[in-house]
Structures are given as C-alpha cells and as structure tokens.
Amino acid sequence: MELRHLATLVKIAELGSFSAAARELGYTQSTVTMQMQALERDLDAPLFDHIGRSVHLTENGRVAVLAARKMLEEARRLRLTLAEGDGGLVRIGVYESLCGAFLPDMIIRFRKEFPEAELRVVTAPRRELLELLAQDRIDLIWVYGDDFPETVRPLAEFLHPVSLIAAPSKVAAGRDLSPETLLAGPLIYTEPGCPYRRLLEGFLNSQGHQPEVFLEAGSTSVVLEFVQAGLGIGFLPDFLTGEAVAVGRLTRFGLKGFTPRLVSRICCHRDKWLSPAMEAVAELACRAVAQA
C-alpha cells in the first residue's frame, strides 16, 4: 500500500471523479484507475461502485478515505519533523499543581537539549485537557488519575506521596490521628473536584464522616499560607510541601486506616506520532519527579 495511492483515493473522494482527480494530480486517467485497482487488491476490498459513468465510494471506500487522511497527515508531520531535525512545536497540557512543581526546571533542561524546538504549556482541569488532546490541540497531557479513555496512551506514570499537614504547634510530626481527632480541627481544602481532595473526602465519607470545611482555595499556595499560620489542617502532595517541612514551618502526619495513592501520568493520543522532542518531555518529567 503506497502513500501516493492513498493520496489519489482522497483526491477522488474530494472531487468526485477519476478524471478530475487525474487532472488535479497530473496523472492520466488510466494511471489513476491502475492505482485504485492496486489499492483495492492491497486492501482486499472494493472501494468504488461504478454505475454507468458515475463512480461512488462504497462503505469500505468511505472507511478507507478516513484512514487515508490520517495516514497522510502523519506522513506530513513526519516529513516536517525530519526536515526540522530536533525542532518543531511541542504542546503540553498540565494540571496546575504539577506545572508549578516540575515544569520550570523541565523547561530549562528542554531548551538546552532542544534549542530549535518550541514548547507551549497550557494549564487546565483534567476534563478540559482530555478534550484538547482528543481535538489534537495539544500533543501531551500530564494529569492525575488511573482511568483514561481508550483513545489515550500513557507514556509515563508517577506515584506521588501525599500527606496531611499542619503547623508544628498544632500536630506533632509522624502521628497517625483518628478521623474524629482530625475533624476536631478546621480543614483547609483545595477546590472541589481536586484529585487529592477527593482521596481524603472519599476516605472520610467511607467512615461515615461529613467534614466541615473552614476554607476552600483554588490555589495550593493559599492552602499552604493558611496552614502555616496555624489556621487549620491541609492535605497536599509532598512535592508541594517539602520546602516548608524542611525548614520547620509545617509537619506531616497520617490518618489511621488511610493510605492515599495519588498517581499522575503523561499521556498522548493513541494515534499520535511522537517527535523526538515530544518523547524528551516525558523523559525529562521522569527525571524531575525522581529528583523532587
């Protein structure tokens, strides 16, 4: 099966006739006919109905045209990428907390390794990023979660420790509180739907508890400021709290019976051809998480 045959098939579908496609592509009509006969042999399926002097795509033909367009687009991208060497555009969509924690160093390293490439970053909720990926408006996503549509292909997976946090004067480091003791202190949450908030809420709900929330914040930096001020208890990934814990502004502690599992993945569309620069983004993410 040759790309030029697929290109001819697409052109016939666009123009509606063999002769028009032949004129457009600079072939004789007999050449176009031979190409389509060869393609039908390769696919072992009839692609056209010849009724009188008219030619119409069969159902197999319509399916083949859709697939041919995708294959020709991938071939075009491959030629462009190879022509540009290590250049090209990489578009990555990232959950906001992952972006702030890992991308600054990643971008610096990426620019050193791929000086001819351009990296664009979008931060958005998981659902929106999945939609952008499906529309081919971004190349890669880095989001939390285990469940993904069948059209999404994981490239790298990371397990992130996540802990309850408080000011040192409120809770001693390393303790395991009971849910009842935890709920005695005000809770400072991230926004509803936040992946790590859902972990804690799910556990407390399974124990029959409906916690009262003192503050909901869309920014993790706001949660950190309130918790460090001793105004309540938070629940954040360790990569966001490491510096504050190291200098003694925060303590980490556990909750009896609660073993949170926070997973993030870098993914692409299953039909996406990845350039060397795109593959490097996933590799750099692995390095960044390992060193966090």
Side-chain angles (χ1 to χ4, degrees):
M1 184 164 44
E2 299 184 30
L3 286 176
R4 62 193 178 97
H5 294 174
L6 296 178
T8 301
L9 171 65
V10 169
K11 188 60 67 176
I12 292 170
E14 290 174 354
L15 300 179
S17 77
F18 279 36
S19 58
R23 287 193 298 272
E24 182 79 11
L25 296 171
Y27 295 144
T28 64
Q29 186 165 340
S30 60
T31 297
V32 169
T33 299
M34 287 188 292
Q35 286 183 357
M36 293 304 95
Q37 290 172 344
L39 186 58
E40 287 179 324
R41 288 194 299 272
D42 288 339
L43 297 174
D44 193 24
L47 302 179
F48 302 95
D49 285 322
H50 300 267
I51 302 174
R53 303 184 68 177
S54 299
V55 175
H56 302 281
L57 288 168
T58 64
E59 182 59 29
N60 289 330
R62 285 187 283 273
V63 172
V65 168
L66 292 175
R69 287 194 172 109
K70 291 181 181 179
M71 294 172 69
L72 291 168
E73 174 60 18
E74 290 300 314
R76 184 192 69 80
R77 290 180 180 177
L78 174 58
R79 286 192 293 269
L80 179 62
T81 299
L82 294 179
E84 294 177 345
D86 289 337
L89 172 65
V90 181
R91 305 162 299 173
I92 180 169
V94 191
Y95 199 88
E96 188 171 338
S97 62
L98 293 166
C99 179
F102 299 115
L103 255 67
D105 287 343
M106 280 180 55
I107 292 172
I108 292 171
R109 293 176 182 176
F110 180 85
R111 287 174 175 171
K112 288 180 179 178
E113 295 187 22
F114 294 87
E116 302 301 320
E118 180 183 356
L119 183 64
R120 294 180 188 170
V121 181
V122 175
T123 61
R126 184 178 190 270
R127 179 179 298 179
E128 184 177 338
L129 292 177
L130 285 169
E131 290 175 357
L132 292 172
L133 189 71
Q135 298 164 6
D136 196 29
R137 293 169 61 189
I138 52 179
D139 305 303
L140 305 168
I141 58 172
W142 189 1
V143 294
Y144 298 110
D146 291 303
D147 57 318
F148 289 91
E150 292 182 356
T151 55
V152 173
R153 174 162 58 102
L155 302 175
E157 177 181 299
F158 312 102
L159 181 62
H160 306 284
V162 55
S163 305
L164 289 154
I165 52 172
S169 60
K170 295 294 183 180
V171 181
R175 290 186 59 191
D176 278 350
L177 301 185
S178 67
E180 293 76 15
T181 304
L182 174 69
L183 296 174
L187 286 178
I188 300 174
Y189 268 149
T190 43
E191 74 274 15
C194 173
Y196 29 93
R197 171 176 172 169
R198 288 202 306 267
L199 292 175
L200 181 58
E201 284 182 322
F203 174 76
L204 292 174
N205 292 341
S206 73
Q207 303 298 304
H209 299 295
Q210 296 291 332
E212 293 186 12
V213 180
F214 166 58
L215 171 70
E216 292 180 336
S219 168
T220 55
S221 61
V222 172
V223 175
L224 285 170
E225 289 294 332
F226 272 71
V227 174
Q228 289 176 83
L231 296 174
I233 293 171
F235 183 63
L236 293 174
D238 289 3
F239 62 74
L240 293 174
T241 62
E243 182 179 348
V245 170
V247 298
R249 295 197 301 267
L250 285 176
T251 59
R252 293 179 182 143
F253 58 97
L255 184 61
K256 291 178 180 177
F258 180 41
T259 307
R261 185 176 184 273
L262 181 65
V263 174
S264 72
R265 287 185 172 90
I266 293 183
C267 305
C268 66
H269 194 280
R270 69 180 178 190
D271 298 325
K272 186 74 174 179
W273 181 84
L274 297 181
S275 68
M278 293 176 195
E279 292 178 335
V281 169
E283 181 183 343
L284 290 170
C286 293
R287 288 191 228 167
V289 173
Q291 293 171 4

